[in-house]
Amino acid sequence: QVQLVESGGGLVQSGGSLSLSCAASGAIYRTNVMAWYRQAPGKERELVANATSNGITTYADSVKGRFTMSRDNAKKTVHLQMNSLKPEDTAVYYCNLRNIWNWGQTDFWGQGTQVTVSS
């Protein structure tokens, strides 16, 4: 099992910044992907950014140039720095870890943290 504990989030005005952190513990495989997803009310959960265990980071088009994801493999943490926030960034943000092995993969989720951007 893997445990993910998120911190950060909150309320910020449009154009402001927030930072999220996620600490992972437990059975983390050598090959894994850590990611941030978000889910706004009435919408499906969507990928915000992910970072592989070998250092590749990708972003959703909607956050490119505004959000930066980083990971520290030694500390088993990921961070999401969110700048130039917009009201449409309002959502519950979830940390995700995907363990990958030869014949499959397993996803683990954090409890979620609310990000609210006021206009």
Side-chain angles (χ1 to χ4, degrees):
Q1 284 290 345
V2 171
Q3 294 77 42
L4 301 171
V5 178
E6 299 145 343
S7 59
L11 174 64
V12 66
Q13 289 188 335
S14 182
S17 298
L18 283 174
S19 179
L20 305 180
S21 296
C22 175
S25 61
I28 301 169
Y29 287 17
R30 181 183 300 273
T31 302
N32 65 78
V33 180
M34 294 193 73
W36 289 98
Y37 286 76
R38 67 185 181 187
Q39 187 167 19
K43 295 188 177 181
E44 294 187 353
R45 191 171 297 188
E46 63 175 0
L47 177 66
V48 175
N50 63 19
T52 66
S53 49
N54 60 358
I56 299 172
T57 304
T58 58
Y59 298 92
D61 288 343
S62 59
V63 306
K64 280 181 182 177
R66 300 188 298 122
F67 290 12
T68 302
M69 181 177 180
S70 60
R71 70 179 280 170
D72 184 329
N73 288 332
K75 295 182 179 179
K76 301 178 183 179
T77 58
V78 291
H79 303 280
L80 185 68
Q81 178 63 41
M82 304 181 290
N83 298 329
S84 303
L85 283 161
K86 305 175 182 179
E88 51 263 44
D89 294 318
T90 296
V92 177
Y93 284 68
Y94 296 91
C95 181
N96 166 270
L97 184 144
R98 175 171 293 172
N99 276 333
I100 301 170
W101 65 97
N102 289 342
W103 57 90
Q105 59 192 34
T106 301
D107 282 309
F108 300 91
W109 296 91
Q111 77 281 3
T113 185
Q114 178 70 45
V115 170
T116 303
V117 184
S118 62
S119 56

